[in-house]
Amino acid sequence: MAQRIATRALQTRLYSASVGTSASPATALPASQLVVAKARNGIQVATEENDSSLSRVVCAVKAGSRYEDSQQRGVTHCLRVTADLTQRQTRTFRLVRELQQMGGSITCTTSREHILYTLEVPRQLVGSALPLLTGAAFNQSFRPWEIGDSLPRLEYELLALSEQPDKRVVEKAHEAAYRQSGLGRSLYAPYFQVGQFSSDMLKEYVGKYFTSDRISFAGSGLDHSLLLDAANNLEVKASEVPAQPAARYHGGEIREETEDLLAYSMLVGEGASCTGSDVMAFAALEQLLGAAPQIRWASNVTSNRMNAALTQKTSEPFNVQSFNVNYSDSGIFGVSAVTVPENSDVVIKTAVEQLRALADTPVDAVALQGAKNRVKATIAFQEECPSDIVYSRAIQLLTKGSLTDLKSTLSAVDAVTAADVQQAAKKTLSSKLSLVSIGEIENVPYVADL
């Protein structure tokens, strides 16, 4: 997921120079309260008052790159880099200055399905900062000369992407899996579109997709009425966009030979959507096949089947782990690998062997329980991060229309059986596999040979 930080003030901690002579009696904080409501215009709002000294608000809009048409490719990338431009009532200088004075920040993040605007500010100033957040999302002027001034930033991000094959291989994997439409659209604008984004194009896209039924707010550390009033005061129309068909997985192959000294590969097949009944089975399969280690720099040969198998076959360096991404109506699952060129063939084929083994034979109870424990730990750790919580709630409101509590999520993980995991592996292998390789790829096998 790519992001642009509009401004972030210098953060400091100040400590008292003297020590109090007596400690005040400890008082228990009231239990946090989560409130979910719908504004008069149809916008969904979720707020948790947790007595935090920092207020966080996420405004999510279902307008990610999958909704771009062929004439608008990269428009969401342009919206991301222009998030701090002049608003109808606030110039860029005033926006930056006021956020600095408040000690807050506004961040714009885009994914294939959503554009998210995130506000972080001291709680006593959140009422003054909310208009800046809604202005950045819904009241931009898109002045042509300011858009032109933002092009160097866009070009810089594209140049940085060209030097990061690990990110390019993910973008290309989506293109191979879904082709050049829908979820196959990249998070980054194509080079030929640089300089082609006009004020009218941005206004048209915002007017079409920034509608009441495609917007949600989630916040923590503030009073619910503040966020609900902000949503009620937004002048947004109802959506006139017809329902779009579900994303369709196709499969394919993309090979890009470059001067890189390593081979970057990604092999994926059809996975689970985030609303599918098999989403937790794929999460367990991800851990069984070989997710990233829980301990930094660990060799991870105990729970990572691919690592355990490859250490018996090669002494050359490699990095291989499972890849699992879930969208509202589709998903992809597979393996990501970085290898020295002469090692590419054995790494990719070994990964496929391990996935086939999981599809052919039910996993034993001990290994399955370990995988489910790691899935639950990952979910629980995310629940401890305040920014991840509000981000997840905003997305859930748009995807499911409601919020799922942690207890229900962990129960769904516990319900996964060995047969569920086996069926998930079979689903991926029965689809047409997609293989993307970048770098020195002479020894990377073709997908037809797998």
Side-chain angles (χ1 to χ4, degrees), residues 271-288:
S273 70
C274 60
T275 57
S277 59
D278 55 351
V279 63
M280 291 305 175
F282 272 98
L285 178 62
E286 177 186 7
Q287 295 293 334
L288 285 166

Side-chain angles (χ1 to χ4, degrees), residues 405-439:
D405 59 58
L406 178 60
K407 184 178 180 180
S408 299
T409 303
L410 298 182
S411 297
V413 178
D414 286 328
V416 173
T417 65
D420 295 332
V421 174
Q422 187 178 15
Q423 189 60 40
K426 288 180 178 179
K427 178 180 178 179
T428 296
L429 289 171
S430 63
S431 63
K432 182 180 178 181
L433 296 179
S434 301
L435 177 61
V436 174
S437 51
I438 297 175

Side-chain angles (χ1 to χ4, degrees), residues 73-74 77 151 154-164 168 172 186 188-197 256:
R73 291 183 62 182
H77 186 184
L151 291 183
L154 191 147
E155 291 175 327
Y156 168 79
E157 293 189 0
L158 294 179
L159 179 61
L161 178 66
S162 68
E163 301 295 326
Q164 297 173 300
R168 294 208 318 277
K172 291 296 183 181
S186 174
Y188 298 87
Y191 277 104
F192 63 79
Q193 281 287 82
V194 176
Q196 303 301 313
F197 299 110
E256 182 181 322

